[in-house]
């Protein structure tokens, strides 16, 4: 589609040139003229009529969304008027590039930024515990793929041409296990994840982090973290200072950090959960009996924004209550929801839609004007980042409508990405075998533990006994193969899942087959498993690993794949061990397979399909330290 833009286009040309191909347009003087008007009103107007084409916008990000709306509408008709009222002043994703080891390459971040521009998302955070360069600290982010100052500046420059703000997001209290494990930081440890409050060198270090994180970006805003410091004040702090309340420790620490932030001219936000946990007898963020006294609130800084994070509730009443509890702190919170990508290979779109719709409906009613879509990398970042594109579109469409229109969401998603909403929604089915309720609001992750568990000691075998899991994955393999052919540039999202389903079509219940054959004395069945089934599973695992390896290194820096290599290596070795053990039994060199004689019991005493959060609990009942 040939277009050229006239009028209030200052500051837009560079972004237009970058987005032209992706948006489906050619910028040329012999194209159709689009009159551009920048107005003070927070409203997007896109029009095609007898007077020609026009866009009215307030902010740059609104313009780039409007360009997409214009081109999409022109593909479907000749006359139209589209009006949208932005619902939020900030709306965008936070990518965790620290906890799981996956550090997204700058080119991958740029790909997300282009989609974000067309969607109208105006903010991006990269959650970096130690994934950024800190001068004179060689162990900070060592061998973890840390971004250089130049890389961060390059991403910030790229984001800025679309009117997207890049906000640093770091930690200034806890969540620093990958830093504090080094002896260079022994003197600032409270425990192995939390810094020592009150120690002067702690604040010297925090200032260095704040300077390094904020220096390469335009934004003066910064997220200073401070969540989930589980044992705050109970380690070295307790030895040096005796027992103090977590409220007092948090306020004392926050006061010191705020002095640094103020000195640097930064505008901070922080996660709010530690205040709620301190006020709960159970240490629970969402404890409805939590009490935060007026005295504690009076001791909190009045020029910091609190971020209420919640991905776990599906009813609007809870979100309403918690937003209002946050307002007691003296300001309206920022809300951080979740695109559920952190429990294995499979993004749970059931939980994503249910929690996001409830939360953002409440945010709009309660005057919450800033929202974040979190993508966590917990425990290895096995899920492909780009499977989250539909989640980004969901946040975007909420951001431009008082009420979500799912038909429009589907159309916009197809325009912005070339992919199909119904196919991306089907990703969740990989974690919805028989035994899991449709939508999987329990956020079970059976595909993950059925992949990684040991076939000779299946910790989850009893939970899937009697379920038709193999047939479920055989059917899904064919479906994912089809989806890989019809989602344009994002077919690879389904290619990974197709290979995962191919493995699970055989491996999901092979442990049960092995155990049943052994216990019943059915040596011909064991012979078939040894000669045919286990070798085929091994071949399919190698195909999955090969493609996963390829995709990882295209999207992420190489660091972090070493974790995944250990998992695949352990899985392949365990399959070899199983084959060798069965062969030895069939050949008569061993007369028992003791691991098959141990009675299978349900995982954690729970019947049916269950949840298992961490990899270290999947392949073995013995201890894996990390």
């Amino acid at each position: 589609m040939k277009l050229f833009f006239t009028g209030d286009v200052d500051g837009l040309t560079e972004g237009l040139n970058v987005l032209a191909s992706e948006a489906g347009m050619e910028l040329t003087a012999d194209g159709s003229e689009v009159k551009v008007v920048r107005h003070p009103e927070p409203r997007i107007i896109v029009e095609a009529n007898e007077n020609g084409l026009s866009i009215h916008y307030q902010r740059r990000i609104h313009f780039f969304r409007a360009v997409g709306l214009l081109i999409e509408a022109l593909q479907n008709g000749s006359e139209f008027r589209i009006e949208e009222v932005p619902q939020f002043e900030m709306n965008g994703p936070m990518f965790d590039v620290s906890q799981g080891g996956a550090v997204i390459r700058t080119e991958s971040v740029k790909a997300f930024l282009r989609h974000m521009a067309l969607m109208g998302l105006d903010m991006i955070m990269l959650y970096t515990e130690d994934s950024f360069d800190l001068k004179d600290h060689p162990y900070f982010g060592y061998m973890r793929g840390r971004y250089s100052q130049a890389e961060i500046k390059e991403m910030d420059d790229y984001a800025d041409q679309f009117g997207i703000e890049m906000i640093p997001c770091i930690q200034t209290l806890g969540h620093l296990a990958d830093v504090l494990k080094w002896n260079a930081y022994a003197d600032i440890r409270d425990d192995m994840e939390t810094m020592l409050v009150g120690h002067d060198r702690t604040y010297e270090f925090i200032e260095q982090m704040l300077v390094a994180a904020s220096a390469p970006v335009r934004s003066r805003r910064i997220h200073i973290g401070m969540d989930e410091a589980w044992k705050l004040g109970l380690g070295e702090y307790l030895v040096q200072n005796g027992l103090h309340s977590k409220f007092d420790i948090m306020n004392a620490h926050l006061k010191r950090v705020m002095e640094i932030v103020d000195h640097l001219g930064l505008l901070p936000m922080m996660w709010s959960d530690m205040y709620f946990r301190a006020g709960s007898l159970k240490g629970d963020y969402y404890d409805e009996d939590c009490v935060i006294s007026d005295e504690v609130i009076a001791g909190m800084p009045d020029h910091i924004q609190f971020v209420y994070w919640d991905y776990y509730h599906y009813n609007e009443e809870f979100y309403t209550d918690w937003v209002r509890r946050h307002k007691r702190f003296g300001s309206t919170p920022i809300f951080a929801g979740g695109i559920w990508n952190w429990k294995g290979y499979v993004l749970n779109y059931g939980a994503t839609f249910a929690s996001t719709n409830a939360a953002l409906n409440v945010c709009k009613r309660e005057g919450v004007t800033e929202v974040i879509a979190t993508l966590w990398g917990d425990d290895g970042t096995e899920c492909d980042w780009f499977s989250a594109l539909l989640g980004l579109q969901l946040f975007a469409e909420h951001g431009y409508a008082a009420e979500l229109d799912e038909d429009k969401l589907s159309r916009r998603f197809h325009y912005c990405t070339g992919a199909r909403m119904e196919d991306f929604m089907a990703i969740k089915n990989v974690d919805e075998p028989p035994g899991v309720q449709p939508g999987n609001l329990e956020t079970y992750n059976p595909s993950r533990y059925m992949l990684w568990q040991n076939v000779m000691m299946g910790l989850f075998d009893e939970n899937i006994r009697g379920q038709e899991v193999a047939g479920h994955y055989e059917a899904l393999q064919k479906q994912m193969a089809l989806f890989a052919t019809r989602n344009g540039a994002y077919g690879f999202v389904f290619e990974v899942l197709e290979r995962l389903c191919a493995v699970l079509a055989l491996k999901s219940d092979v442990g049960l087959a092995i155990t049943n054959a052994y216990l019943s004395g059915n040596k011909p069945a064991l012979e078939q498993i040894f000669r045919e089934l286990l070798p085929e599973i091994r071949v399919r695992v190698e195909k999955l690993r090969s493609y996963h390896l390829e995709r990882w290194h295209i999207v992420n820096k190489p660091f972090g794949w070493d974790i995944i290599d250990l998992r695949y290596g352990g899985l392949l070795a365990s399959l070899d061990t199983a084959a060798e053990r069965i062969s030895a039994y069939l050949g008569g060199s061993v007369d028992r397979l003791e691991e098959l004689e141990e009675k299978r019991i349900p995982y954690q005493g729970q019947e049916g399909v269950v949840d298992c959060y961490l990899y270290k609990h999947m392949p073995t009942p013995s201890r894996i330290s990390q």
Side-chain angles (χ1 to χ4, degrees):
M1 186 173 298
K2 294 182 177 182
L3 300 172
F4 72 98
F5 294 81
T6 62
D8 297 333
V9 295
D10 287 351
L12 303 176
T13 305
E14 188 177 358
L16 274 172
N17 288 330
V18 170
L19 271 186
S21 176
E22 204 136 350
M25 64 180 171
E26 180 184 350
L27 298 174
T28 174
D30 62 356
S32 299
E33 180 185 12
V34 182
K35 300 170 186 175
V36 179
V37 178
R38 186 169 189 173
H39 60 188
E41 186 181 359
R43 182 184 300 270
I44 295 170
I45 303 172
V46 178
E47 236 177 330
N49 54 35
E50 66 276 7
N51 297 319
L53 308 177
S54 65
I55 288 174
H56 290 68
Y57 76 102
Q58 181 191 54
R59 295 168 54 200
R60 274 186 296 162
I61 189 63
H62 299 160
F63 170 79
F64 288 108
R65 178 174 171 93
V67 168
L69 292 169
L70 174 69
I71 294 171
E72 181 188 3
L74 286 171
Q75 292 170 350
N76 299 309
S78 57
E79 289 199 9
F80 50 83
R81 178 183 173 89
I82 302 168
E83 289 193 36
E84 291 185 337
V85 178
Q87 304 293 301
F88 303 117
E89 295 173 7
M90 182 190 81
N91 185 4
M94 183 222 74
F95 294 88
D96 174 3
V97 295
S98 281
Q99 292 186 109
V103 179
I104 312 175
R105 292 186 183 276
T106 56
E107 290 306 311
S108 300
V109 172
K110 290 177 180 179
F112 275 108
L113 289 168
R114 291 192 296 274
H115 288 306
M116 286 170 57
L118 290 175
M119 293 175 182
L121 295 169
D122 63 358
M123 185 280 300
I124 186 170
M125 291 182 184
L126 299 177
Y127 171 84
T128 53
E129 294 173 353
D130 64 337
S131 302
F132 59 100
D133 189 45
L134 196 59
K135 186 179 179 182
D136 299 326
H137 285 265
Y139 286 98
F140 188 86
Y142 175 59
M143 284 290 182
R144 297 245 303 143
R146 58 196 169 200
Y147 292 118
S148 68
Q149 295 277 295
E151 285 176 310
I152 296 173
K153 184 179 185 304
E154 179 183 350
M155 291 185 285
D156 184 64
D157 288 344
Y158 199 85
D160 182 67
Q161 67 190 338
F162 306 124
I164 298 173
E165 182 180 17
M166 189 170 183
I167 300 176
C169 183
I170 67 171
Q171 288 288 359
T172 58
L173 179 58
H175 265 291
L176 290 169
D178 288 302
V179 175
L180 298 177
K181 68 186 177 187
W182 299 110
N183 287 338
Y185 302 101
D187 65 324
I188 62 170
R189 293 178 192 144
D190 184 0
D191 59 39
M192 293 305 292
E193 293 193 1
T194 311
M195 287 191 288
L196 182 59
V197 172
H199 184 53
D200 285 345
R201 186 168 174 261
T202 296
Y203 300 99
E204 293 171 7
F205 179 59
I206 288 172
E207 181 165 4
Q208 290 173 308
M209 286 196 293
L210 289 167
V211 169
S214 61
V217 300
R218 291 167 173 79
S219 178
R220 301 320 293 158
R221 303 182 75 181
I222 190 164
H223 198 317
I224 61 173
M226 294 204 189
D227 62 316
E228 296 184 332
W230 303 112
K231 298 179 181 179
L232 177 64
L234 299 179
E236 183 61 25
Y237 182 93
L238 179 65
V239 173
Q240 294 186 16
N241 302 283
L243 186 63
H244 289 258
S245 78
K246 288 187 178 181
F247 279 134
D248 291 342
I249 299 171
M250 275 295 298
N251 275 350
H253 180 65
L254 186 53
K255 181 180 179 182
R256 292 283 299 269
V257 174
M258 288 298 293
E259 289 172 357
I260 300 169
V261 167
D262 291 344
H263 171 70
L264 297 174
L266 300 174
L267 304 171
M269 64 184 79
M270 65 175 282
W271 308 114
S272 68
D273 60 296
M274 286 305 295
Y275 282 102
F276 285 85
R277 294 182 198 280
S280 165
L281 295 176
K282 299 178 287 188
D284 179 8
Y285 188 12
Y286 308 114
D287 179 4
E288 295 187 64
D289 296 323
C290 166
V291 176
I292 304 175
S293 70
D294 292 340
E295 181 182 4
V296 168
I297 292 173
M300 296 162 65
D302 60 4
H303 56 298
I304 188 168
Q305 291 181 284
F306 290 93
V307 183
Y308 161 37
W309 57 269
D310 192 343
Y311 341 116
Y312 301 105
H313 295 95
Y314 308 117
N315 64 84
E316 296 187 8
E317 292 77 13
F318 188 90
Y319 289 106
T320 300
D321 183 16
W322 241 248
V323 166
R324 291 176 180 177
R325 291 188 189 217
H326 279 78
K327 288 179 178 179
R328 285 189 61 230
F329 296 173
S331 62
T332 301
I334 297 169
F335 176 75
I339 300 174
W340 273 85
N341 70 313
W342 56 84
K343 295 191 72 172
Y345 289 74
V346 180
L347 198 151
N348 185 331
Y349 271 118
T352 297
F353 269 66
S355 61
T356 300
N357 287 341
L360 297 191
N361 285 341
V362 169
C363 286
K364 285 181 264 192
R365 284 201 304 270
E366 289 292 318
V368 175
T369 61
E370 298 186 309
V371 298
I372 303 169
T374 63
L375 292 121
W376 294 105
D378 296 18
D379 200 33
T381 321
E382 292 165 356
C383 185
D384 191 287
W385 291 115
F386 286 96
S387 64
L389 283 169
L390 177 59
L392 296 186
Q393 194 82 54
L394 175 64
F395 270 76
E397 298 315 307
H398 264 292
Y400 290 91
E403 294 185 10
L404 180 70
D405 179 340
E406 286 207 3
D407 289 336
K408 182 178 180 181
L409 168 63
S410 179
R411 295 193 305 271
R412 291 288 300 151
F413 181 61
H414 184 66
Y415 168 74
C416 291
T417 67
R420 299 184 180 207
M421 175 174 164
E422 64 270 24
D423 293 358
F424 269 67
M425 286 295 290
I427 290 171
K428 69 184 180 62
N429 295 338
V430 181
D431 265 341
E432 294 185 23
V436 177
Q437 293 297 313
N440 191 11
L441 300 188
E442 298 83 3
T443 67
Y444 294 156
N445 57 345
S447 67
R448 192 180 191 212
Y449 54 71
M450 284 191 278
L451 173 67
W452 296 128
Q453 75 169 346
N454 188 308
V455 298
M456 297 291 278
M457 297 186 291
L459 296 180
F460 305 89
D461 280 352
E462 196 60 27
N463 295 90
I464 63 168
R465 187 183 296 276
Q467 308 284 2
E468 293 296 327
V469 290
H472 174 79
Y473 288 112
E474 185 177 1
L476 270 183
Q477 179 189 356
K478 296 173 184 175
Q479 190 179 61
M480 294 297 152
L482 170 64
F483 294 168
T485 67
R486 68 184 198 188
N487 280 274
Y490 295 104
F492 62 78
V493 168
F494 301 96
E495 178 69 19
V496 173
L497 296 174
E498 186 273 330
R499 295 185 186 215
L500 173 63
C501 290
V503 173
L504 295 180
L506 299 181
K507 184 179 183 293
S508 58
D509 60 2
V510 72
L512 288 167
I514 292 170
T515 304
N516 292 341
Y518 173 75
L519 293 178
S520 64
N522 190 344
K523 288 191 174 182
L526 276 180
E527 182 81 26
Q528 183 182 27
I529 290 169
F530 163 66
R531 295 197 178 279
E532 299 177 15
L533 196 53
L534 289 178
E536 179 60 22
I537 292 171
R538 198 184 200 288
V539 167
R540 294 186 183 194
V541 170
E542 288 174 336
K543 288 181 177 178
L544 170 62
R545 177 190 173 276
S546 175
Y547 195 72
H548 193 181
L549 169 71
E550 176 186 335
R551 289 304 314 165
W552 179 287
H553 286 82
I554 290 171
V555 176
N556 304 308
K557 295 187 179 188
F559 308 93
W561 179 258
D562 47 348
I563 298 170
I564 309 299
D565 249 351
L566 291 171
R567 295 176 185 178
Y568 280 119
L571 175 56
L572 291 167
S574 72
L575 290 169
D576 290 345
T577 297
E580 290 168 11
R581 290 283 290 156
I582 294 170
S583 176
Y585 173 70
L586 292 172
S589 60
V590 300
D591 59 1
R592 295 173 59 200
L593 296 175
E594 295 171 78
E595 61 271 46
L596 299 181
E597 295 175 4
E598 183 100 15
K599 179 177 173 56
R600 274 27 177 183
I601 57 178
Y603 183 76
Q604 297 288 22
Q606 300 174 40
E607 301 289 341
V609 179
V610 294
D611 180 52
C612 183
Y613 197 84
L614 297 173
Y615 165 82
K616 66 182 180 181
H617 298 139
M618 296 174 186
T620 173
S622 298
R623 186 183 308 167
I624 301 176
S625 61
Q626 290 294 335

